[in-house]
Amino acid sequence: MRIAVFTGSRPGPESHRRAAADLATGLAEAGVGVVYGGGHVGLMGVVADAALAAGGEVVGVIPQHLVDDELAHPGLPRLDVVGSMHERKARMAELADAFVALPGAAGTLEELFEAWTWGMLGLHAKPVVLLDVDGFWEPLLAQLQRMADDGYLEQRRLDALGVVPDAAGLLAFVEGYEHPPRKWAASGR
């Protein structure tokens, strides 16, 4: 099993770095591989370094323009270089059995929402999970609940988005995950 990790290219606070390292170590110790954006910077680098130090499988996926900017992690046993950010997300989705978002910025949100939306549309049936560190995702979860309350998002879709504190919680969520039926069916609804 491999889990795609979406997270920031900046380091964030110490508690976030510690949580990222603990998650990656826990996944490696459980025999779960990590697929991530291939960089050596920020929380991405923390995840890769911790998983590698624990003897885990780490697959980086990075577009050529970021390799050219010298952001690729030099110590990865496997680095898939692709042509664009779009290809990066598609390749990560292809390689992963689940997705987890750690703290990050706009890119992390974009990756999270694309993976979650693809599941709603029936393009995959893989779990999508938030690793909530220091309440980082609470404002987002409140906004998503507002979307459900106002009728824009089915509650079952929001309920299918995992929120966990650590690697053990992530693995338990993935193991018990049941994907809701796709949003649209050929019958029109």
Side-chain angles (χ1 to χ4, degrees), residues 28 31 56 65 70 75 79 104 114 138-140 142 147 149 152 156 166 169 174 179 189:
H65 77 273
E70 299 181 355
L79 182 66
E114 186 158 35
E138 288 176 11
L140 175 65
M147 292 174 181
D149 292 346
Y152 294 106
R156 68 182 174 157
D166 53 27
V174 168
H179 192 72
R189 183 85 176 135

Side-chain angles (χ1 to χ4, degrees), residues 61-65 82-89:
V61 182
I62 192 167
Q64 182 64 53
H65 77 273
V82 295
S84 70
M85 296 295 280
H86 296 291
E87 291 175 47
R88 175 199 234 177
K89 291 180 293 184

Side-chain angles (χ1 to χ4, degrees), residues 85-86 89 105-115:
M85 296 295 280
H86 296 291
K89 291 180 293 184
T108 302
L109 287 173
E110 191 265 338
E111 292 168 327
L112 164 70
F113 282 119
E114 186 158 35

Side-chain angles (χ1 to χ4, degrees), residues 1 3 26-27 30 32 164 166-176:
M1 176 192 298
I3 295 182
L27 293 177
V32 175
V164 301
D166 53 27
L170 172 60
L171 294 174
F173 182 85
V174 168
E175 185 175 321

Side-chain angles (χ1 to χ4, degrees), residues 2-3 11 18 34 52 55 64 68 71 82 104 114 129 136 153:
R2 291 187 187 128
I3 295 182
R18 194 169 41 253
V34 168
L52 290 169
Q64 182 64 53
D68 296 343
L71 294 174
V82 295
E114 186 158 35
V129 183
F136 184 83
L153 174 65

Side-chain angles (χ1 to χ4, degrees), residues 49-162:
D49 290 342
L52 290 169
E57 177 194 29
V58 180
V59 179
V61 182
I62 192 167
Q64 182 64 53
H65 77 273
L66 293 179
V67 173
D68 296 343
D69 291 338
E70 299 181 355
L71 294 174
H73 194 298
L76 297 179
R78 178 173 171 187
L79 182 66
D80 291 6
V81 179
V82 295
S84 70
M85 296 295 280
H86 296 291
E87 291 175 47
R88 175 199 234 177
K89 291 180 293 184
R91 182 75 177 132
M92 288 176 71
E94 176 186 315
L95 292 170
D97 300 296
F99 307 92
V100 63
L102 281 63
T108 302
L109 287 173
E110 191 265 338
E111 292 168 327
L112 164 70
F113 282 119
E114 186 158 35
W116 194 31
T117 302
W118 286 354
M120 289 181 204
L121 296 174
L123 300 176
H124 69 72
K126 301 173 184 180
V128 178
V129 183
L130 300 171
L131 182 79
D132 197 29
V133 181
D134 296 337
F136 184 83
W137 294 116
E138 288 176 11
L140 175 65
L141 291 166
Q143 180 60 48
L144 293 172
Q145 187 59 61
R146 170 73 189 265
M147 292 174 181
D149 292 346
D150 287 354
Y152 294 106
L153 174 65
E154 292 177 288
Q155 186 65 47
R156 68 182 174 157
R157 306 252 175 240
L158 180 52
D159 293 343
L161 178 64

